[in-house]
Structures are given as C-alpha cells and as structure tokens.
C-alpha cells in the first residue's frame, strides 16, 4: 500500500498582515479554527508564522496582545516541507526539529499548512 503524502492532509493557508495586533490575529485564528497563520509583509510575501506556541510564549512574558504587533512575536523563517513528502517523513522532521507546524510548498510557492494534528500524532 502506497503511503499518503502530506498534500492530502494539509490545511488551507490563513494569513494576516505584519502590522496586525496579536489580539486581532488570535480572533482571526479562532474564526478559522486553526492553530497557525502566516504573516505577510508589506509586499504581500509570507515572512513568518504565528502559532499557539508563540501565543503561549507571549502570555508567559505577561505582554498585552492588544499592544503587540504580530510581526514582533512571529517565528521566522517559515519552515517548509515539500507537498510530496510522506506522513512518516513529515512526522520525523517535526520530531527532530520540535516543530508542530510546517508550511507545505510546491516549488517556491506555499500552498498549505500541515500540523502534527493533521498527521495523527
């Protein structure tokens, strides 16, 4: 039996602009029921990722999400996996790098997001 590749289980890309405050980004994430969003720069290019783990780090520092822009707390650079990678390959990279969310790429274009939840960790 042929193993599925990650493209079959990836989530859509949701994104916000880099000048959005964290509280607005969190509201957007909740409305989309997603644990990660990508961050666009002024040119419309993806420059970072914001996840629930980044939110926890922000709250641990007792910073006010309504006063902090998403670009100041996002993770960068964005880590990508190719759409043709298998579930096992993706799981291995997530464990090795202690990363729960990766962008999924087709060449140089990001086409989705994949998380450990999508891969049945």
């Amino acid at each position: 039996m042929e193993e599925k590749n990650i493209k079959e289980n990836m989530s859509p890309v949701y994104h916000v602009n880099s000048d959005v405050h964290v509280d607005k980004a969190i509201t957007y994430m909740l409305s989309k029921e997603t644990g990660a969003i990508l961050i666009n720069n002024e040119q419309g290019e993806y420059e970072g990722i914001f996840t629930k783990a980044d939110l926890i780090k922000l709250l641990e520092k007792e910073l006010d999400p309504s006063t902090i822009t998403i670009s100041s707390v996002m993770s960068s650079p964005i880590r990508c996996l190719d759409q043709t990678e298998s579930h096992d390959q993706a799981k291995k990279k997530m464990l090795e790098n202690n990363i729960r969310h990766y962008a999924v790429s087709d060449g140089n274009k990001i086409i989705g997001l994949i998380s450990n939840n999508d891969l049945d960790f």
Side-chain angles (χ1 to χ4, degrees):
M1 183 165 98
E2 188 175 321
E3 186 178 359
K4 293 192 290 187
N5 62 38
I6 60 174
K7 183 177 180 180
E8 297 174 45
N9 291 86
M10 69 183 186
S11 302
V13 175
Y14 297 111
H15 56 89
V16 297
N17 292 330
S18 60
D19 60 349
V20 168
H21 285 98
V22 173
D23 63 335
K24 302 290 185 207
I26 294 166
T27 300
Y28 179 68
M29 289 172 71
L30 290 170
S31 74
K32 298 299 183 184
E33 298 180 0
T34 187
I37 55 174
L38 295 183
I39 313 306
N40 288 350
N41 61 22
E42 292 176 4
Q43 294 76 34
E45 300 165 338
Y46 297 131
E47 66 176 356
I49 187 170
F50 182 79
T51 69
K52 290 177 186 177
D54 295 314
L55 174 59
I56 291 168
K57 290 176 194 173
L58 174 79
L59 295 174
E60 286 174 343
K61 293 178 183 177
E62 298 183 7
L63 298 173
D64 181 357
S66 68
T67 64
I68 306 292
T69 59
I70 199 79
S71 62
S72 64
V73 293
M74 68 184 184
S75 298
S76 184
I78 300 169
R79 305 286 290 269
C80 291
L81 298 173
D82 187 86
Q83 65 177 340
T84 61
E85 292 200 47
S86 71
H87 284 204
D88 285 344
Q89 290 169 320
K91 286 179 182 181
K92 182 178 178 187
K93 288 182 181 177
M94 286 178 176
L95 289 170
E96 287 173 352
N97 297 306
N98 195 28
I99 295 176
R100 295 182 187 138
H101 294 87
Y102 274 92
V104 179
S105 64
D106 179 4
N108 290 329
K109 183 179 179 187
I110 294 176
I111 60 170
L113 293 172
I114 193 89
S115 75
N116 57 350
N117 292 334
D118 298 322
L119 300 174
D120 298 325
F121 258 71

